[in-house]
């Protein structure tokens, strides 16, 4: 099953789609009708997460705002952003287990107490450990 999971997340990441900006005809997920909403892809979420500085964390809402601004939209779809962030996290965790370095630092964008964190193969404690490991040098002044 391990190979299938790795292939599955990699395939989802590699799926060739382009991000789209759509004008909403009706309200969706708290976004008003008429708004320009970005439908993200795992690749653009991956790039945005890679831009987060070591030791920093970015809330999901902030990540969506950054993505929308980069692509000329007012909002980024919370549904596709959540799905794409999971794809990025699962793929990166599998790559990390396989010895890849560097990997996308998804722990900077996934709140350990979030619903998403509870679904990830790495588990909540891994996210906490990675965040703590990155902020330890900042706390000690190194």
């Amino acid at each position: 099953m391990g190979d299938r999971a790795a292939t599955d997340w990699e395939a989802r990441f590699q799926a060739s789609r382009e991000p789209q900006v759509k004008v909403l005809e009706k309200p969706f997920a708290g976004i008003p009708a008429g708004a320009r909403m970005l439908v993200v892809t795992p690749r653009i979420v991956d790039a945005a997460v890679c831009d987060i500085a070591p030791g920093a964390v970015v809330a999901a809402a902030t990540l969506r705002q950054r993505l929308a601004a980069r692509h000329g939209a007012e909002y980024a779809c919370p549904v596709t952003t959540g799905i794409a962030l999971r794809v990025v996290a699962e793929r990166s965790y599998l790559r990390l287990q396989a010895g890849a370095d560097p990997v996308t630092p998804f722990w900077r964008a996934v709140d350990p107490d979030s619903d998403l964190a509870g679904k990830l193969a790495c588990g909540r404690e891994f996210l906490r450990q990675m965040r703590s490991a990155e902020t330890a040098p900042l706390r000690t002044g190194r």
Side-chain angles (χ1 to χ4, degrees):
M1 182 170 169
D3 288 340
R4 182 177 175 345
T7 302
D8 187 44
W9 293 115
E10 185 66 35
R12 289 179 188 216
F13 183 84
Q14 297 297 341
S16 59
R17 292 187 338 234
E18 293 296 320
Q20 298 177 349
V21 176
K22 297 182 175 188
V23 177
L24 295 179
E25 293 180 15
K26 57 185 180 178
F28 173 75
I31 302 171
R36 294 174 49 82
M37 183 186 77
L38 173 67
V39 179
V40 304
T41 66
R43 286 188 185 276
I44 67 169
V45 170
D46 187 79
V49 172
C50 285
D51 286 345
I52 302 170
V57 295
V58 172
T62 302
L63 181 63
R64 289 192 308 271
Q65 289 169 344
R66 289 179 182 176
L67 288 163
R70 287 182 188 172
H71 293 273
E74 298 165 283
Y75 299 90
C77 176
V79 176
T80 58
T81 303
I83 292 167
L85 186 54
R86 181 170 186 192
V87 170
V88 167
E90 297 287 13
R91 174 183 181 258
S92 296
Y93 185 64
L94 288 170
R95 293 180 79 227
L96 186 65
Q97 288 181 310
D101 184 37
V103 297
T104 302
F106 62 92
W107 51 88
R108 298 176 190 162
V110 179
D111 181 342
D113 296 322
S114 68
D115 290 342
L116 173 57
K119 297 175 185 177
L120 297 179
C122 66
R124 297 175 193 277
E125 192 54 35
F126 173 84
L127 298 170
R128 289 184 184 99
Q129 289 171 356
M130 294 304 286
R131 286 182 170 198
S132 180
E134 284 192 346
T135 59
L138 299 175
R139 289 192 303 266
T140 61
R142 287 188 215 148

